[in-house]
Amino acid sequence: MSRVILTTESGADVPADLAEQHNIQVVPMHVIMDDIDHLDGSFPVSDLVDYYDRTKKTPSTTATNPNEYTAFFENIRSKYPDCSIVHIGYTSKASSSFQSAVLAAEDFENIHLIDALNVSGGLAAIVLYAADLLEKEPDIAVEKLVAAVEAVVPRTHFSFMPSGLEFLRAGGRVSNAAYLGASLLKIKPTIELIDGKLVSTKKYRGKMSRVVVDFFDDYLKAYDIDNKKLYLILSLGLDKAIMTQMENYAKEKGFPDVTWVETGCVITSHGGPGAFGIAGIEKQ
């Protein structure tokens, strides 16, 4: 039976130690600042925040292209000639990256593509579910693994709360009027992945340290999340006190195994610094 290699994009934000532990191969997406194209992960997120502070412009992001996927898959095959590749991709409804993988995969055999319809911590949850299943059943047939992963895609839910609307306004995702109104009223919007699309849902009013608790409670009311694993997402700048508060609160709510996922440059380009999010997989 051939070895299975899991792959995904940098926009999954899979923690580096877990990617290494499970031999998850990650292809970088792109971040553009001052018309210079950078590979996601090739520079620290703090550089991105510094760029915004200096220019008041948010970086743009672009997908991994087919040629990059071809080189990526070829490199994996050179290391593991007989492997089966299972690529769990960034939602096709928010990026062309998955379609690039589809085009590149036409030139290869035994590559299985799964549109995770998710990003960041939600995509990481699906990738790490696959990794855990593969670890428990190393001889699992690739078709069975793919079917199991596809079954958790619609049960995986990711929602996040930006600390403010500065990045969303600078990127043209909210109007100046909406930004000013939200700032004056201290409104915190939430962004949720619904059917693969980023959708603005409920809004909360107040300090971040208070509204994250309401946000967490509402998430658990909406979804019957499997308590064996919960992912909490942060972007650079989230108050460490909030991190401690929410990890302890999650454990009080019956989630003993909490993994933090820190957003890379692609996701931070959209949500900005200081964001908090939640991802998990619903019970069957």
Side-chain angles (χ1 to χ4, degrees):
M1 184 173 292
S2 64
R3 178 175 185 171
V4 175
I5 301 296
L6 298 175
T7 66
T8 192
E9 291 102 339
S10 60
D13 295 327
V14 175
D17 59 332
L18 295 178
E20 182 177 358
Q21 176 185 329
H22 296 290
N23 195 30
I24 298 164
Q25 304 296 303
V26 180
V27 64
M29 299 171 86
H30 297 259
V31 178
I32 299 170
M33 296 184 288
D34 289 331
D35 296 323
I36 299 173
D37 191 321
H38 305 267
L39 293 178
D40 187 16
S42 66
F43 63 97
V45 178
S46 57
D47 286 3
L48 182 151
V49 177
D50 291 344
Y51 171 80
Y52 171 78
D53 289 341
R54 187 176 73 253
T55 66
K56 299 307 175 187
K57 296 188 293 185
T58 57
S60 59
T61 60
T62 58
T64 309
N65 65 49
N67 290 335
E68 290 171 316
Y69 268 109
T70 295
F72 178 62
F73 292 145
E74 285 177 343
N75 183 53
I76 293 171
R77 279 284 162 75
S78 69
K79 293 178 181 177
Y80 312 101
D82 299 322
C83 73
S84 298
I85 295 173
V86 175
H87 179 72
I88 305 172
Y90 195 99
T91 175
S92 62
K93 297 185 180 180
S95 170
S96 62
S97 188
F98 186 76
Q99 184 59 33
S100 294
V102 171
L103 292 172
E106 292 175 355
D107 296 327
F108 297 86
E109 294 182 356
N110 210 8
I111 292 183
H112 305 264
L113 304 171
I114 301 169
D115 184 352
L117 297 175
N118 227 307
V119 305
S120 190
L123 177 50
I126 296 169
V127 173
L128 292 169
Y129 170 86
D132 288 339
L133 182 55
L134 197 53
E135 187 172 279
K136 291 172 185 173
E137 298 183 49
D139 294 328
I140 188 172
V142 67
E143 294 80 10
K144 183 179 177 182
L145 175 67
V146 169
V149 174
E150 288 177 337
V152 303
V153 166
R155 297 182 2 239
T156 303
H157 302 283
F158 168 51
S159 184
F160 74 97
M161 176 183 289
S163 67
L165 297 180
E166 293 89 350
F167 267 55
L168 293 171
R169 179 191 60 163
R173 298 176 185 90
V174 297
S175 67
N176 283 336
Y179 166 76
L180 289 171
S183 298
L184 288 170
L185 296 173
K186 296 183 178 179
I187 290 173
K188 301 283 191 295
T190 54
I191 311 295
E192 188 170 353
L193 264 289
I194 298 177
D195 296 327
K197 298 177 182 177
L198 291 157
V199 178
S200 178
T201 53
K202 189 169 182 177
K203 296 178 176 65
Y204 298 84
R205 183 177 178 183
K207 292 183 178 179
M208 193 75 168
S209 59
R210 183 177 66 80
V211 297
V212 289
V213 174
D214 295 335
F215 169 51
F216 188 94
D217 287 342
D218 287 342
Y219 177 88
L220 294 185
K221 289 175 186 174
Y223 306 114
D224 187 16
I225 298 297
D226 190 328
N227 64 1
K228 289 195 292 292
K229 191 71 180 178
L230 186 73
Y231 296 90
L232 298 181
I233 294 87
L234 76 147
S235 59
L236 180 72
L238 181 66
D239 193 316
K240 292 188 185 304
I242 292 177
M243 292 178 63
T244 300
Q245 170 195 3
M246 296 314 297
E247 183 168 341
N248 289 338
Y249 192 63
K251 290 177 178 178
E252 288 175 17
K253 290 291 185 177
F255 294 91
D257 191 354
V258 174
T259 295
W260 282 96
V261 172
E262 184 167 0
T263 63
C265 291
V266 163
I267 302 300
T268 307
S269 293
H270 301 298
F276 172 77
I278 314 162
I281 298 173
E282 279 192 293
K283 297 174 184 175
Q284 286 182 299

